[in-house]
Structures are given as structure tokens and as C-alpha cells.
Amino acid sequence: MSAEAPSDEGTTDLAAQIKAIQADMRAGRMQEGAAAAERLLAEGHPPHEALYCLAVCRRYLGQGEAALRALDQLAERAPNYARGWQERGHLLRAMGQATPATSAFRRAVRYNDALPACWQALTELAQETGDADLRRRALARVDYLRSLPEELIAVQSFANEGRTLLAERLCRDFLKRNPKHVEAMRLLASFGASHGIYDDAEFLLESALTFEPGNRRARIDYIDVLHKRQKYEQSLHAAETLLNANPDDPIAQLSYANQAAAAGRFDEAIRIYDEVDAGNPGATFTGPTLQLTRGHALKATGRVAQAVDAYRGAYHLRGNFGDAFWSLANLKTYRFTADELAQMQAVAQAPDTPEEDRIHVLFALGKAFEDAGDADGAFGFYQKGNSLRHGQHPHEAAQVSERMKLQQEVCTAEFFKQREGWGCPAPDAIFVVGLPRAGSTLIEQILASHSAIDGALEFHHIGAIAQRLDGRRRRGQAPRYPMRLTELTADNARELGERFLRDTRIQRRDAPFFIDKMPNNFRHLGLIHMILPNARVIDARRQPMACCFSNYKQLFANGQEFSYDLEALGTYYRDYVALMEHWDRVLPDKVLRVQYEDVVADLETQVRRMLDFLGLPFEQACLDYHRTERAVRTPSSEQVRQPIFREGLDQWRQFEGHLGPLRQALDG
């Protein structure tokens, strides 16, 4: 219940008052604690801890209705405050309302799964109701928390409450005293992974598994980090190790299936998903998330009808599962039923819908209303969804613009002249760059239909190299990348190029060339040319308003923070165009620009132009790209399985009245 150290005098006073109330509660002085909480609330400074303390005091004083009123206020002001839902569970249980008490406890552990009293209560309530799956999960969690030192329970709780700096500091302090404590290492790795510091997380988990090779949780976390680093060969091997040690464990089976899917072995993954689902009816791990994951695998292989059934199955299992509705919308070809629309609108409006689910449903509603021809209604949903996402992941437009200007300052024609002949000479890689939603998936599908080219993934490897060169920086500290490029040696450049080809090999088949279609790589063409001088680059370009609005209505799985604000979108597009003009000047003939509208207007001319640029002979299969059978994992997967898509060229125009900030930003 303690508060983090405040930063100003007013907050310090509030924290001191909360601590005094908590001291009264620990001493059993509930009447005094309630009175102090009431005074604090009457002063017009109602931190949610005060309402929580008031509710606890009222419960102990036997004032159930008053306690419930305080909890109602708390839920309105801090809906994700887990301890408030835990207290509601205790209160409702004391009032003999077992079913709503169970719901409250379940909501509490959704926000903070390090509350032992919550899990213990769920164990007992599940025993009373005969819910075997809930009891099994709750017992496992109780046993796990009991196995931890109190300090590590506090670490997990603080992290779940968003107090990650405090949690990380406590965890590091504990590890200094207990340097081989595997669970502490696992927790610290989770903090690194949550901030995208995957190399540290990988090292910590490797160390943990050295001490305890059979630690299942550490192994699963290690697989997850390898997956996020796109080390799919290693993640698949690690998942195989887990499965060999636990052949009958459905979690190990699912972990292996997920990595098989990441490695492009979708049929194997789908088979395992189906076997686990059939063999464990009603289990939590066969719930909505499994159906969603299975749907993604089916979609990637073109089995759309089965993917639709899987996505529908996911929301049937959890009615407010926003990602299931968005996944249906993200097929681009699906049309919602009237019942589905009503359910989605109810989810969007319900006060207890988790924010992530609300965002997904808002974007799905935007797509549904757009398909129905209601542009104003659609834009309203898109705008609400983007506003929430932008609040979660704000975009630092000025900083991004400055980083792109640094590329131009460092990567000059003279810079490249001095490093001529550096890097790995292999010509295997073809980079398709630009903004998302600019036609890159169509270009990839066309080129991957050629017998000499494999379509692969949007690899994160180039961005990861840039991040490592940039190093760890404090907020406000000047960037080291791209200036660090000037410090690399010829051997460094060659080794980085060879490593890139080696790490991406698992996603290739037998063709001599492969495509990396990560759009953000346009920011790193200097690095790419240094390490892979014979790689070719295609810049997928689209009419600015159409491209930017298409980004605005797309909910990305991760990254692309610029896309959730119209003004930021316009600024980012302008910066992109300026940087591409720079690459044209300093790396002439390195980049082929392909305009989406030109591909739509005259497919054959543009196909021949691209193949000439790549030095490859024309093949009819490139014109018949929609017949090519290969896995496609991007939002445009269903569109590129159809003949050329002309209908989307001017879709943005029906929203033109809402796009003033975008146009102004594009005009500069």
C-alpha cells in the first residue's frame, strides 16, 4: 500500500497522509483511519489510495454499503487499480455474494497477478462452485507466490502497478545479495524485455538457465525473447528443448507450435494447435488467445474461411476480446453481421472494457462503418482509437525528424567513397522500404512469385543493429547513431553483413535472393549499404494523402507510433521523402522508386522495370502473383491474393473533410 517517493511538496504531503492512514489501519484503528481518509477526500485531493483505505476501513467496521460506495468511486477514477478490485472481492464475499466476488477477484489478478490473498480467495471460491480449471490455475499461482521471498512478490506487484523503476531497483538490489537467484533474474529480464532491451534480457535468461536448465518459466521467457529478436532458429531449438523435456505438457507443445509458425512451418503449427485444443477442452490455455493465434496461422496460409471461424471462436469465448474483432476487420475482405456490430458497439461503450480491447474494437468499428459507406461514423471510431493508442505510445516527432537529418549529415557521398568495397559482397538481400500501407506487400508478392526470389518477413535485424550502435542513453542524451558508423572498420562492416544473412537464413528457401520488407529500413540505407553494398533497394511510394490515411486507420501490432496522429503522420511522410532524396543523391542507382498507382495502372511495365533493376529475367508468374501459394503475414495478405486492387486508390477522399491537419502537415 505504500506510495512511491513523490516529487513535489504537495504530493509529499499527500503521501505522508496516506502513510499515516495506513499506520492506523495496521494498528487496528479503523475508525481513525476512516475519518482521516474522509478528511483527505473532503479537501479536494482524492488520490485513489484514499478511497481504497476508506473502503477497507468501512469493511472492517461492518459498514458494507459505505465501503461499496467508496469502491464505486474508486472504480470510476482508477478502473485498473487491482487492489480496489481485490477489496471489492473481499467485501462481496463477506456479504455472501460469491459470484460477483469471484468476478472482482478475477479482475484484480488481471491487473496484478502478484496478490496472494486474491489467488487464495479464488482457490476457495472455485472449490465452492466446482470450477476445476480456475481452482487449478489459482492453486498453481498460490504455490508460486508462496515460493518467493516477500521482496520479489513486492517487485512483481510494483511492476504490475506500473511502478517499474521502483520494481527494477528493488529487483537489482535483491540480485546483488542473491546473485544466483533464478526467479530474480527472470523478473529483471522481464523489465528489460518490456523496454525493448532484449539483449540484456537474453543474457540474463541464458545465465538463469545455466544455473537451472530445467526451469520451465525461464525457458519459456527465453524462447519469447529470442522470438522478439527474430532469432527464430534459436527460438525453435529452445522450444524443442522445452518440449523434449516436457513432451506431455500442452504449454510446451504450444510454445513449440508458436516458434514453428514463426519459422514459416504453419502446417505443423496448426496441427499442434488443433491437437492441444482437442485434447484439453475447457482449459485456459485453449481459450480465446489460442483461437486467435490459430486464426493468424490459417490466414497466413490463405485459409481465410477457417481463419474467420477461429477469430469468431475467439470472441465467442470472450465477448470483449477486441483483437478477435480487429483480426476479422484486418482481413480487409470480411463484412460484419448486424449482431457482431451490436456486440462491438456494446464492448466499445462498456466502462469495464480493458483499454487494449477497446482500442481494437474501435478500429474494427471504423473499418465496418467505412465498408458500410458511413465515412463520418467511421472516422469517429478511427479518431477515438487513434487517440487512445497515441496516449499509450506518444510519438516524439521532433526527435525523429532530427535523427533523419543526422543520417544526411553523417552519410555523405564522401563518407561512402571512403568506404568503397566494405561489407559483405553477397547480393542476396532485396530491401523494400517506405511507409507502411504504400504497396510494399504487393511488390513483395509480385517479386516473390519469381523463381529466383524468396519472400521472407519484415525483419527487425537492421533496426536492431542500429539500436546496438546507438547504445544505452539517458533521456535527453545525444544519440550515438548514426555517428557510430564512422567508427566501424571494414571487418566490422563485413561481419555485420554476414551476420544479417546468417540470422535471416531460416526464413528463406532455396532461391538466390530474398526480400526484407521492413518499411522503416529507409532510415538506415547508409548502414545497409555499408554492410551489404550489393543489396538492392526498392522504395514503395504512394500518393501522400492515400498512404497517410491508410496508416491512420491501421492498428499496427507494434511500432509505427507516428501513425496515430494526423499531424505526426504528415510530418513523418515529409521527413521520409527528404531522406529518400538524400539517398538518391549520395547513393545513385541504389534505389528504384516504384509508385503504387503506376503498378495499378500498368502492371506489366512496372514488373519488367523491377526485374530489370534486379538483373533478373521476366517471368509470367510475376504478373499472375495472386495465384502464388506462399505465406503472407501482413495486413494486406488477402488483397494480394486477388488480381490488382484498384478500388483503394481514392478511398481517402470520402474522409477529406476530416483530414485538414494531415494536409497542412504534408504541405509543411
Side-chain angles (χ1 to χ4, degrees):
M1 291 187 292
S2 61
E4 283 191 85
S7 57
D8 58 69
E9 186 176 342
T11 308
T12 301
D13 182 58
L14 287 174
Q17 292 182 67
I18 292 293
K19 287 182 178 179
I21 295 170
Q22 292 168 348
D24 283 336
M25 293 164 63
R26 285 192 294 271
R29 299 189 294 269
M30 297 300 172
Q31 194 68 53
E32 291 86 343
E38 293 276 20
R39 285 195 300 274
L40 187 57
L41 292 166
E43 291 173 5
H45 303 293
H48 56 257
E49 291 90 350
L51 283 164
Y52 169 71
C53 291
L54 177 61
V56 174
C57 290
R58 292 299 183 204
R59 174 166 66 90
Y60 275 97
L61 291 168
Q63 301 167 2
E65 293 302 323
L68 201 55
R69 286 196 297 273
L71 289 171
D72 287 342
Q73 293 180 59
L74 177 58
E76 184 177 343
R77 296 176 186 179
N80 297 349
Y81 186 55
R83 293 180 189 277
W85 293 104
Q86 175 179 255
E87 178 56 26
R88 183 182 291 268
H90 288 317
L91 177 62
L92 291 171
R93 193 181 184 195
M95 297 168 72
Q97 300 180 35
T99 299
T102 300
S103 297
F105 284 129
R106 293 182 82 145
R107 189 159 179 180
V109 296
R110 184 200 310 167
Y111 300 130
N112 184 348
D113 63 358
L115 298 173
C118 245
W119 288 110
Q120 183 60 43
L122 282 170
T123 300
E124 295 163 4
L125 287 164
Q127 175 72 26
E128 294 169 12
T129 60
D131 189 335
D133 184 55
L134 175 60
R135 187 168 187 274
R136 183 168 55 250
R137 284 197 305 122
L139 275 173
R141 194 66 186 171
V142 167
D143 290 344
Y144 166 69
L145 292 172
R146 283 176 177 167
S147 73
L148 296 180
E150 287 290 333
E151 291 167 90
L152 293 187
I153 296 176
V155 164
Q156 292 196 47
S157 189
F158 287 139
N160 291 333
E161 292 172 358
R163 299 157 71 178
T164 52
L165 291 178
L166 175 60
E168 184 175 346
R169 188 173 71 244
L170 291 175
C171 193
R172 288 187 184 279
D173 289 344
F174 180 87
L175 263 176
K176 287 177 183 176
R177 301 190 305 275
N178 305 272
K180 294 184 179 181
H181 198 288
V182 167
E183 191 59 21
M185 298 170 79
R186 195 178 74 84
L187 289 173
L188 190 58
S190 73
F191 299 141
S194 67
H195 290 93
I197 308 172
Y198 298 123
D199 50 350
D200 275 10
E202 182 181 344
F203 173 77
L204 278 164
L205 291 166
E206 281 179 348
S207 302
L209 289 169
T210 299
F211 296 133
E212 290 184 22
N215 189 298
R216 180 170 167 273
R217 289 189 180 90
R219 180 74 60 183
I220 290 171
D221 287 354
Y222 181 56
I223 293 166
D224 184 55
V225 167
L226 290 173
H227 179 96
K228 287 175 177 173
R229 298 196 74 183
Q230 289 193 333
K231 293 186 173 184
Y232 296 134
E233 188 169 9
Q234 291 173 249
S235 68
L236 184 62
H237 176 71
E240 193 171 19
T241 299
L242 177 69
L243 183 59
N244 288 339
N246 307 272
D248 299 323
D249 180 1
I251 302 302
Q253 294 164 1
L254 291 175
S255 179
Y256 177 80
N258 291 339
Q259 302 318 308
R265 292 155 56 171
F266 290 104
D267 289 339
E268 183 180 10
I270 292 167
R271 176 182 59 76
I272 296 172
Y273 293 147
D274 290 345
E275 289 175 356
V276 171
D277 192 27
N280 301 273
T284 303
F285 51 80
T286 62
T289 300
L290 174 59
Q291 300 309 315
L292 185 80
T293 305
R294 181 174 170 273
H296 292 338
L298 290 163
K299 172 189 172 183
T301 55
R303 287 174 262 184
V304 181
Q306 292 174 265
V308 167
D309 289 342
Y311 294 146
R312 283 176 163 173
Y315 79 64
H316 282 308
L317 289 170
R318 178 159 77 82
N320 65 353
F321 192 14
D323 205 350
F325 292 108
W326 169 245
S327 294
L328 287 166
N330 206 26
L331 288 168
K332 309 301 182 189
T333 56
Y334 184 77
R335 297 297 178 264
F336 290 101
T337 67
D339 287 344
E340 287 173 329
L341 283 171
Q343 183 175 349
M344 290 156 63
Q345 288 177 297
V347 171
Q349 295 167 6
D352 61 343
T353 297
E355 185 173 68
E356 198 63 24
D357 291 299
R358 193 185 312 280
I359 291 170
H360 280 80
V361 166
L362 286 168
F363 274 89
L365 283 166
K367 179 66 168 63
F369 273 62
E370 181 180 357
D371 290 339
D374 184 353
D376 291 339
F379 188 82
F381 288 119
Y382 286 140
Q383 189 173 44
K384 289 175 184 175
N386 275 288
S387 178
L388 289 174
R389 185 60 115 199
H390 184 64
Q392 289 180 335
H393 305 286
H395 173 65
E396 298 178 338
Q399 184 182 94
V400 172
S401 295
E402 186 59 35
R403 296 297 290 268
M404 292 201 209
K405 289 176 183 175
L406 284 174
Q407 291 283 344
Q408 299 182 46
E409 293 173 10
V410 173
C411 298
T412 63
E414 182 63 24
F415 172 87
F416 292 117
K417 184 178 179 181
Q418 293 170 357
R419 292 159 178 79
E420 192 170 346
W422 284 27
C424 171
D428 303 29
I430 301 167
F431 292 91
V432 179
V433 304
L435 259 67
R437 314 297 299 148
S440 60
T441 303
L442 175 59
I443 290 173
E444 180 198 35
Q445 180 77 349
I446 290 169
L447 294 178
S449 300
H450 195 285
S451 61
I453 303 175
D454 285 332
L457 279 178
E458 294 183 357
F459 291 115
H460 297 288
H461 295 73
I462 296 297
I465 294 171
Q467 187 178 46
R468 285 198 298 274
L469 290 172
D470 200 25
R472 304 287 167 72
R473 295 183 293 109
R474 296 184 181 277
R475 193 185 250 318
Q477 189 176 357
R480 302 184 184 96
Y481 173 82
M483 286 75 75
R484 283 287 303 280
L485 294 178
T486 64
E487 301 172 17
L488 295 181
T489 66
D491 287 344
N492 295 151
R494 185 183 64 257
E495 195 279 328
L496 287 172
E498 290 172 350
R499 185 193 303 172
F500 173 82
L501 296 178
R502 187 168 59 248
D503 289 347
T504 54
R505 181 73 234 182
I506 191 173
Q507 292 295 332
R508 299 173 60 180
R509 295 184 181 176
D510 300 318
F513 302 99
F514 74 100
I515 297 170
D516 177 351
K517 64 176 291 288
M518 169 57 72
N520 300 341
N521 281 338
F522 81 86
R523 296 169 60 175
H524 307 296
L525 294 193
L527 168 62
I528 288 172
H529 187 70
M530 273 189 71
I531 68 174
L532 294 165
N534 294 317
R536 308 300 275 171
V537 179
I538 294 176
D539 174 23
R541 190 73 62 93
R542 187 179 177 188
Q543 197 274 348
M545 290 290 288
C547 181
C548 289
F549 183 64
S550 189
N551 274 273
Y552 188 70
K553 63 183 186 176
Q554 179 67 44
L555 177 59
F556 294 97
N558 51 63
Q560 319 304 358
E561 287 83 3
F562 66 88
S563 68
Y564 302 113
D565 177 82
L566 289 174
E567 185 177 351
L569 256 167
T571 301
Y572 190 85
Y573 190 95
R574 278 194 2 255
D575 290 340
Y576 147 68
V577 170
L579 185 54
M580 290 308 302
E581 289 173 349
H582 170 76
W583 298 130
D584 289 343
R585 289 191 298 270
V586 301
L587 293 171
D589 303 321
K590 180 78 175 181
V591 179
L592 177 71
R593 188 149 298 108
V594 177
Q595 194 73 30
Y596 175 71
E597 292 78 8
D598 293 342
V599 177
V600 172
D602 188 350
L603 177 62
E604 183 170 349
T605 295
Q606 294 303 314
V607 167
R608 290 184 180 277
R609 181 169 168 258
M610 287 188 283
L611 293 177
D612 286 345
F613 173 71
L614 298 173
L616 295 173
F618 175 79
E619 290 184 1
Q620 179 64 29
C622 294
L623 294 184
D624 300 330
Y625 66 88
H626 53 283
R627 297 175 184 164
T628 302
E629 294 185 5
R630 55 179 288 268
V632 184
R633 313 190 200 196
T634 65
S636 305
S637 60
E638 290 318 296
Q639 292 168 328
V640 300
R641 291 192 174 101
Q642 304 168 18
I644 204 74
F645 184 70
R646 293 182 172 85
E647 290 77 6
L649 290 177
D650 293 319
Q651 282 181 337
W652 68 273
R653 292 193 181 279
Q654 61 184 313
F655 297 93
E656 195 165 6
H658 299 285
L659 304 181
L662 172 59
R663 187 176 288 283
Q664 291 174 16
L666 285 169
D667 292 342

